[in-house]
Amino acid sequence: MSITTARLGTDGPEVGVQGLGCMGMSFAYGPTDADEARATLERALDLGVTLYDTADAYAKGENEEFLAPFVGAHRDDVVIATKFALAMDPDDPTKRIIRNDPDYIRSCADASLRRLGVDAIDLYYMHRRDPKVPIEETVGVMAELVAAGKVKHLGLSEVTGDELRAAHAVHPIAALQSEWSLFSRDIERGVVPAAAELGVTLVPYSPLGRGFLTGAFVSADKELGADDFRRQQPRFTGANAAANAALLEPVRTVAAAHDATPAQIALAWVQQRAAVHGLPVVPIPGTRKRTRLEENTAATRIHLTPDELALLDPIATQVSGDRYADMTFTSAGRE
Ligand SMILES: NC(=O)c1ccc[n+]([C@@H]2O[C@H](COP(=O)([O-])OP(=O)(O)OC[C@H]3O[C@@H](n4cnc5c(N)ncnc54)[C@H](OP(=O)(O)O)[C@@H]3O)[C@@H](O)[C@H]2O)c1
């Protein structure tokens, strides 16, 4: 059964109400079986998933290259989203920096077009904000890319509500991508109300808490590989991880009542934010496996009762540890 749809912004494309995060297929979460990942992309499309999320920063462009054959084979059915702004520090190649300067943005767009093998990027996000560059200037450059036909719609990631308003005044923003899950609700303070007011679709990333909400791992430092990104995230390591694992009990209780998995309840909760906050919501859970993809899309058909929401809603306030080691990279760090 195909999933339902939602629109990106007021004049963006209609997409499956759940998208697919493709980052893990090349980057961040350990080794990948490329054939299974390719089969997962195809299965997603069969099930009505049409929004595919990548970024130039995922494995230095390799994730975009990995997606190119799939996108090329289904160009009219797939909405491809990519991002710019995360670069490596030329003085220290192990360190990430943020770049929003105009020439850099223009060169990133051309490079992403080339790697993806497309004439236009359907949805182009600013991945992170460099507070030294006025957001109006950045969105102005992104709008030039639209005028040039290189980009169809604009998105922003990890901006504050005020930054979203300033950006939207320059050019319509179709999608706002930020972390939103049972564990991460900081965007509900300012970002979500601004998006609802402006008609911007919310695209929650890491809706499964990077896998932690599924119970697939408890302690990143004990269970995940040395280069797994989650070992750098304070909430998944040490005493924080053990404390946070105990918070999953209500998720398991609700899952049992629906004959569902904790992953499905975590996704149903994010999906139901649409009705709670009055805006379109298109989460992009990441998986490299067909069975999990099928499990995740089936979650779009689960409806949580008010009592169940009341059991799940307080979890976020009890989480130990930040989402990132450096929160200045996030909207919450600038609010
Ligand atoms: N804008 C940003 O700054 C930003 C930041 C992070 C991510 N993103 C985007 O958002 C997408 C999703 O976020 P994410 O991948 O970080 O986190 P996520 O979707 O919360 O979780 C992904 C993790 O959960 C596992 N998983 C997926 N479905 C599962 C299931 N049903 N049962 C058990 N485990 C399951 C995946 O492993 P398997 O692959 O092995 O299934 C993977 O390790 C990314 O792919 C990326 O495109 C954007």
Side-chain angles (χ1 to χ4, degrees):
M1 197 197 297
S2 200
I3 62 175
T4 57
T5 60
R7 190 170 293 287
L8 297 180
T10 47
D11 61 355
E14 193 91 11
V15 293
V17 76
Q18 185 180 107
L20 180 61
C22 302
M23 176 180 78
M25 293 180 178
S26 315
F27 178 64
Y29 301 152
T32 294
D33 174 340
D35 288 341
E36 178 61 21
R38 274 189 278 274
T40 304
L41 294 169
E42 296 288 345
R43 183 70 183 126
L45 196 55
D46 288 346
L47 293 172
V49 172
T50 55
L51 176 62
Y52 292 79
D53 191 80
T54 180
D56 61 359
Y58 299 162
K60 300 193 181 89
E62 280 174 29
N63 194 234
E64 291 178 325
E65 285 166 357
F66 176 76
L67 292 177
F70 169 73
V71 174
H74 304 285
R75 189 63 196 103
D76 295 339
D77 301 320
V78 160
V79 172
I80 185 73
T82 191
K83 318 182 190 83
F84 69 89
L86 291 178
M88 300 322 279
D89 186 340
D91 300 326
D92 176 0
T94 62
K95 208 170 130 215
R96 272 265 156 86
I97 54 168
I98 300 173
R99 288 190 63 179
N100 290 175
D101 45 298
D103 283 344
Y104 175 75
I105 298 172
R106 292 182 193 109
S107 67
C108 286
D110 287 340
S112 285
L113 285 167
R114 203 170 48 245
R115 284 189 295 261
L116 286 164
V118 294
D119 296 331
I121 297 163
D122 298 315
L123 175 60
Y124 200 35
Y125 288 102
M126 179 186 76
H127 207 157
R128 286 291 183 278
R129 164 106 208 274
D130 174 359
K132 295 191 294 302
V133 182
I135 195 149
E136 292 84 351
E137 184 180 316
T138 305
V139 177
V141 178
M142 294 169 78
E144 283 170 21
L145 295 172
V146 176
K150 294 182 178 184
V151 166
K152 291 187 185 158
H153 300 280
L154 302 186
L156 301 170
S157 177
E158 291 282 2
V159 295
T160 67
D162 287 346
E163 290 165 352
L164 176 60
R165 282 195 186 85
H168 197 78
V170 176
H171 188 280
I173 302 298
L176 188 292
Q177 178 172 144
S178 273
E179 185 162 355
W180 205 4
S181 74
L182 280 170
F183 264 26
S184 302
R185 299 183 60 183
D186 50 69
I187 64 167
E188 290 176 28
R189 283 194 300 269
V191 181
V192 171
E197 175 194 313
L198 300 169
V200 176
T201 297
L202 228 303
V203 176
Y205 77 72
S206 303
L208 295 166
R210 298 183 185 258
F212 191 86
L213 293 169
T214 71
F217 73 97
V218 172
S219 168
D221 36 9
K222 293 195 186 122
E223 295 166 53
L224 304 180
D227 59 348
D228 195 298
F229 178 66
R230 293 166 289 190
R231 288 175 64 135
Q232 299 172 33
Q233 296 189 283
R235 56 179 50 172
F236 303 137
T237 54
N240 286 343
N244 291 336
L247 300 176
L248 299 183
E249 217 31 60
V251 186
R252 293 202 177 88
T253 303
V254 175
H258 284 268
D259 198 14
T261 64
Q264 289 177 314
I265 298 306
L267 291 174
W269 181 89
V270 175
Q271 204 82 62
Q272 231 159 297
R273 299 295 89 197
V276 172
H277 296 274
L279 80 174
V281 175
V282 181
I284 46 167
T287 184
R288 304 164 287 189
K289 303 183 178 84
R290 279 169 291 181
T291 51
R292 286 180 168 173
L293 187 276
E294 286 163 5
E295 181 183 329
N296 296 348
T297 52
T300 61
R301 292 187 280 279
I302 295 175
H303 184 81
L304 303 173
T305 66
D307 284 350
E308 289 168 339
L309 291 176
L311 196 64
L312 299 170
D313 281 346
I315 292 176
T317 60
Q318 301 162 54
V319 174
S320 305
D322 279 330
R323 345 192 232 119
Y324 289 96
D326 181 358
M327 285 293 284
T328 61
F329 276 61
T330 69
S331 59
R334 287 194 304 281
E335 267 176 343

